[in-house]
Amino acid sequence: MRAFGFLSFGHYVNAQGSQTRSASDMLKQAVDIGVGADELGVNGAYFRVHHFARQQASAMPLLATIAAKTKHIEVGTGVIDMRYENPLYLAEEAAALDILADGRIALGISRGSPETVVRGYEAFGYTGSTDPRGADIARPKFDLFMRAIDGEPLAKGERSMSGGQLMPIEPRSSTLRDHIWWGSATRESAEWTGKQGLNLMSSTLLTEDAGMPFDELQAEQILRFREAYREAGHKGAPRVSVSRSIFPIVNTQDAAYFSNAGEKHDGVGMIDGFRSTFGRTYAAEPDKLIEELKKDRAIALADTLMLTIPNQLGPEYNLHILESFAKYVAPELGWKPNWEGPVTGDEIK
């Protein structure tokens, strides 16, 4: 691990105990956390995308706003649900964001997470799927998105204006492909990601159960990704991120919130029809956290660690969590603050 960022689900609900009661609260507080995190040296501000839910849904305006107000922090998603996207419009938006942010983006994209509605992407106008989960439309749409950002001519031009030549989308960014990540939940999809030459984003759960600890299963996922990347003949240093729920306990307020939140074991259960492995929650004093996290094989293999944050506790407390991790834990894991330069992956030889 060389870098860490925060991953926010962007929850908001008008209920007792929540400091994030409306969409306005959620979006404006997300900007505040992003700006504050940049000042702390945190390397990334990443946001989940969920539709038909009281959570963050349309990420591009939020990412552009944070990028405009910061100097160093990377902004991104974890992940955009491709089932809901127009590939060419997303390609235009992503290129514009990459340009405006001077390349400080990490766009995580995938089939998407389990939905709160039934086949919600059809309400957005994307029909034709025969898969109950919509995976059979997500991959082809992602392929078109990648062709678009690579500058492939896709539409026939008006003869009087372009001589009838096929035209690519505009704008385009020459660095955008390097900033695209695939959100992988299995070892098989990690291998596919490596073959495509993309960056790998892995979460706090994997939709498979191989009878081994979560960190070992995720470490195998990362190693398979890198081997597939190498075998496909790609050259470079692809990025790899993993997510964890980690809460340093440094004062009485932390203890009140999280003293009973730490777990000794991973979880196994059903999600989206798959028997899945869930990573444990870490909550302890910094010295104990350091000891436990140094044993995590996947964190050791990844260049970036994403901390899932309880955004409904408000910007002040969430920045306290990030500051505590930056001060007392991250340096012992190999962390370099954002002002030391952009994060790089491990070179594949």
Side-chain angles (χ1 to χ4, degrees), residues 104-128:
R104 291 186 290 126
I105 73 170
L107 288 186
I109 300 174
S110 81
R111 184 215 71 184
S113 57
E115 296 189 276
T116 58
V117 297
V118 178
R119 301 174 74 92
Y121 42 88
E122 293 185 347
F124 274 52
Y126 302 117
T127 59

Side-chain angles (χ1 to χ4, degrees), residues 20 108 135 146 161 182 185 191:
T20 312
M146 293 301 293
M161 299 181 66
W182 185 259
E191 291 176 351

Side-chain angles (χ1 to χ4, degrees), residues 83 111-115 133 207 270-274 276:
R83 295 172 295 185
R111 184 215 71 184
S113 57
E115 296 189 276
R133 302 175 185 86
T207 53
M270 297 297 294
I271 185 168
D272 207 21
F274 294 100
S276 304

Side-chain angles (χ1 to χ4, degrees), residues 190-246:
E191 291 176 351
W192 177 87
T193 304
K195 291 176 183 178
Q196 304 307 308
L198 303 169
N199 302 296
L200 178 70
M201 189 174 285
S202 188
S203 188
T204 52
L205 69 89
L206 295 174
T207 53
E208 56 183 337
D209 174 21
M212 64 177 71
F214 177 81
D215 70 302
E216 294 183 14
L217 182 60
Q218 196 171 47
E220 184 178 329
Q221 181 192 31
I222 294 170
L223 293 174
R224 288 194 185 187
F225 158 75
R226 288 181 172 148
E227 183 59 28
Y229 189 99
R230 179 185 298 107
E231 289 182 351
H234 298 297
K235 305 294 182 183
R239 297 273 303 280
V240 173
S241 71
V242 297
S243 301
R244 294 288 186 275
S245 296
I246 302 172

Side-chain angles (χ1 to χ4, degrees), residues 4 14 22 31 36 58 131 170 180 192 206 220 247 252 257 267 272 303 319 325:
F4 84 90
N14 188 16
S22 67
V31 173
S58 180
D131 183 335
E170 297 286 354
I180 303 300
W192 177 87
L206 295 174
E220 184 178 329
F247 303 104
T252 55
Y257 280 136
D272 207 21
D303 56 77
L319 287 171
F325 191 79

Side-chain angles (χ1 to χ4, degrees), residues 23-43:
S24 176
D25 291 340
M26 180 270 292
L27 289 165
K28 292 175 181 178
Q29 290 176 14
V31 173
D32 291 342
I33 295 173
V35 171
D38 183 55
E39 295 170 355
L40 291 171
V42 176
N43 308 89

Side-chain angles (χ1 to χ4, degrees), residues 28 98 102 136 142 159 165 199 202 235 250 269 288 319 336 343:
K28 292 175 181 178
D98 196 50
D102 295 321
D136 57 342
F142 180 73
R159 183 170 297 278
Q165 298 295 314
N199 302 296
S202 188
K235 305 294 182 183
V250 300
K288 186 175 181 181
L319 287 171
K336 302 296 182 184
V343 184

